[in-house]
Amino acid sequence: MWSADESFSRGQAFIDLLLLAAYADHKVMSQGKMIDLKRGSLITSIRHLADRWGWSKDKTLNFLNVLEEDAIIKKESDTKRTVISIVNYAKYQDIQPSERTQNGHQTDTERTQNGQTKERKESKEGKRNIFIPPSVDDVRSYCEEKNYSMDPVRFVDFYESKGWMVGKTKMKDWKAAVRNWERNGKQSGSASRSRKNSFTDFPTREYDYDNLEGMLLGSKKEGG
């Protein structure tokens, strides 16, 4: 039914019938008369469908006959119009059987909305949990803001060499790590001398960094 050689395939023609069919019972005017049109039915003509699908009248009529023989549609024709009824129309159109909805099952719409809400929530949580390593300039600016004396170049080099891991845990907050370095560096007594940093021109201390990381792991964590 889905031949690529046709401008309008038989599969497309059947879907078109589904779209043309009435979604609910209602009255329509046809040939000057008011007619009750049932759900899943449509009033048309062979000529109209042939023009719509770009087919010949014979091909259109043959297609409808095949559908009728296979109990897919029912049709009633006279000289003026053809009424086509889609068999099992509800099977093609209903989103959810009414019995399942009444029993408390989620509708497709609810499942879709819940799934989208969950995806958005997971997406936001994922964005919040993504750690972006700072540059030397980022660390330097933060140190200047806090008036810290630690060396930002050594800080970045040290954690880059460790893949930005604190022990066995991925760093989550580099600013908290900088605060820990500054605080524990002052407390450790391992600062051997002060010198001018060529980038910031403010005094910095040199640390025993392996020992410092051990102190960081043993101290109260502040986010990473």
Side-chain angles (χ1 to χ4, degrees), residues 148-150 175-189 205 207 212 215-216 219-222:
Y148 289 162
S149 59
M150 58 164 285
K175 291 183 178 180
V178 168
R179 292 194 295 271
N180 279 333
W181 267 50
E182 179 69 16
R183 180 173 58 254
N184 288 287
K186 289 180 179 179
Q187 295 173 354
S188 68
R205 291 189 177 91
Y207 304 107
L212 179 57
M215 295 179 62
L216 289 174
S219 64
K220 183 179 180 181
K221 294 183 179 179
E222 296 186 42

Side-chain angles (χ1 to χ4, degrees), residues 46-220:
I46 303 300
R47 179 181 295 276
H48 173 74
L49 293 178
D51 292 341
R52 184 180 178 91
W53 298 338
W55 294 356
S56 66
K57 289 179 60 177
D58 289 342
K59 179 178 178 178
T60 302
L61 182 58
N62 180 65
F63 173 65
L64 295 177
N65 289 337
V66 170
L67 293 181
E68 189 171 32
E69 290 172 3
D70 206 30
I72 296 175
I73 67 168
K74 294 179 180 179
K75 65 179 175 65
E76 299 177 5
S77 300
D78 57 28
T79 57
K80 296 181 179 180
R81 58 179 171 260
T82 297
V83 178
I84 297 175
S85 300
I86 310 295
V87 179
N88 295 325
Y89 176 79
K91 177 181 179 181
Y92 298 108
Q93 293 287 17
D94 287 354
I95 295 175
Q96 188 80 293
S98 58
E99 294 79 11
R100 290 189 63 189
T101 302
Q102 292 171 357
N103 289 335
H105 291 267
Q106 287 182 312
T107 64
D108 286 347
T109 301
E110 290 171 338
R111 284 196 294 271
T112 300
Q113 291 174 342
N114 291 339
Q116 291 175 344
T117 300
K118 182 179 179 181
E119 288 176 1
R120 286 196 295 267
K121 181 179 179 182
E122 290 176 349
S123 177
K124 290 179 179 178
E125 290 177 350
K127 289 180 180 178
R128 285 198 298 267
N129 292 333
I130 293 175
F131 171 74
I132 301 177
S135 66
V136 173
D137 288 338
D138 291 333
V139 178
R140 180 183 298 112
S141 297
Y142 186 66
C143 289
E144 290 176 349
E145 176 188 339
K146 296 295 184 179
N147 198 27
Y148 289 162
S149 59
M150 58 164 285
D151 186 344
V153 176
R154 288 177 177 266
F155 176 86
V156 172
D157 287 346
F158 178 76
Y159 279 110
E160 280 186 346
S161 69
K162 292 181 173 289
W164 292 97
M165 302 289 290
V166 180
K168 296 182 179 180
T169 305
K170 189 73 174 180
M171 183 180 290
K172 297 178 181 179
D173 185 348
W174 64 266
K175 291 183 178 180
V178 168
R179 292 194 295 271
N180 279 333
W181 267 50
E182 179 69 16
R183 180 173 58 254
N184 288 287
K186 289 180 179 179
Q187 295 173 354
S188 68
S190 62
S192 59
R193 63 182 181 276
S194 295
R195 61 183 179 83
K196 291 286 186 177
N197 181 279
S198 60
F199 291 96
T200 60
D201 199 32
F202 61 78
T204 64
R205 291 189 177 91
E206 293 185 354
Y207 304 107
D208 180 345
Y209 290 100
D210 289 329
N211 179 53
L212 179 57
E213 185 179 29
M215 295 179 62
L216 289 174
L217 293 174
S219 64
K220 183 179 180 181

